[in-house]
């Protein structure tokens, strides 16, 4: 192979490597910066100040993505959701953080809160930015796992 062809290949590989590093740094910067301004300005789904319109949930039906049979978890106290062994709802979903979210009760009302997860927590397909009130019938998505709140 001629020296010119080798030089062209060398510089092409260098440009490709530079492009890869640039994309990786950009991706990390977006994750660290948090949600965009439009997402922060958007009103939350469900307000903590609004009166309760639905019944509070008493259990969670966990639908994992691998097609396993759904399992039921009774709600009592604060329930952490994630891959860590300390979580009450422990998931094997690789898109779920170690401690991804938590469900907690306060004055007879239940709330869901994202715990700084990488992929976010969604209540009825809306991203959760701060604690949001939940009711029986709501669906919380963490990673690829669906958590159906039931009475």
């Amino acid at each position: 192979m001629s020296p010119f062809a080798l030089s062209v290949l060398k510089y092409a590989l260098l440009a490709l490597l530079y492009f890869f590093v640039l994309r990786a740094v950009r991706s990390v910067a977006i994750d660290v910066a948090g949600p965009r301004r439009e997402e922060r300005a958007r009103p939350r789904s469900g307000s903590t100040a609004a009166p309760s319109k639905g019944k509070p949930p008493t259990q969670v039906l966990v639908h994992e993505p691998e097609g396993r049979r759904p399992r039921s978890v009774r709600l009592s106290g604060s329930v952490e959701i994630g891959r860590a062994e300390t979580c009450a709802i422990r998931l094997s979903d690789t898109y779920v953080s170690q401690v991804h979210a938590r469900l907690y009760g306060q004055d007879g009302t239940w709330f869901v809160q994202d715990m700084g997860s990488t992929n976010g927590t969604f209540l009825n397909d809306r991203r959760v930015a701060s604690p949001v009130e939940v009711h029986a019938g709501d669906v919380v998505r963490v990673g690829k796992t669906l958590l159906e709140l039931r009475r």
Side-chain angles (χ1 to χ4, degrees), residues 48-71:
T48 56
S52 177
K53 291 186 179 182
K55 296 186 178 194
T58 58
Q59 62 180 342
V60 177
L61 195 61
V62 180
H63 300 275
E64 294 199 56
E66 292 88 35
R68 292 187 201 154
R69 186 174 173 193
R71 60 187 161 110

Side-chain angles (χ1 to χ4, degrees), residues 9-125:
L9 286 175
K10 180 172 60 172
Y11 288 118
L13 181 64
L14 188 61
L16 189 62
L17 182 63
Y18 175 76
F19 178 72
F20 174 76
V21 170
L22 183 66
R23 294 286 296 189
V25 168
R26 182 175 177 263
S27 177
V28 169
I30 289 172
D31 283 347
V32 169
R36 295 185 188 131
R37 268 183 276 166
E38 303 91 49
E39 287 182 23
R40 281 182 277 185
R42 192 179 337 155
R44 297 183 297 198
S45 63
S47 171
T48 56
S52 177
K53 291 186 179 182
K55 296 186 178 194
T58 58
Q59 62 180 342
V60 177
L61 195 61
V62 180
H63 300 275
E64 294 199 56
E66 292 88 35
R68 292 187 201 154
R69 186 174 173 193
R71 60 187 161 110
S72 181
V73 177
R74 194 140 198 62
L75 287 176
S76 61
S78 180
V79 177
E80 289 188 333
I81 303 161
R83 290 185 304 153
E85 290 185 26
T86 58
C87 292
I89 299 178
R90 190 164 177 224
L91 305 171
S92 57
D93 186 345
T94 56
Y95 291 93
V96 174
S97 299
Q98 290 295 312
V99 179
H100 195 99
R102 80 179 176 124
L103 289 166
Y104 65 95
Q106 184 176 353
D107 300 326
T109 306
W110 282 88
F111 297 90
V112 65
Q113 176 183 16
D114 184 74
M115 302 299 287
S117 64
T118 304
N119 295 319
T121 301
F122 297 83
L123 173 64
N124 300 326
D125 292 326

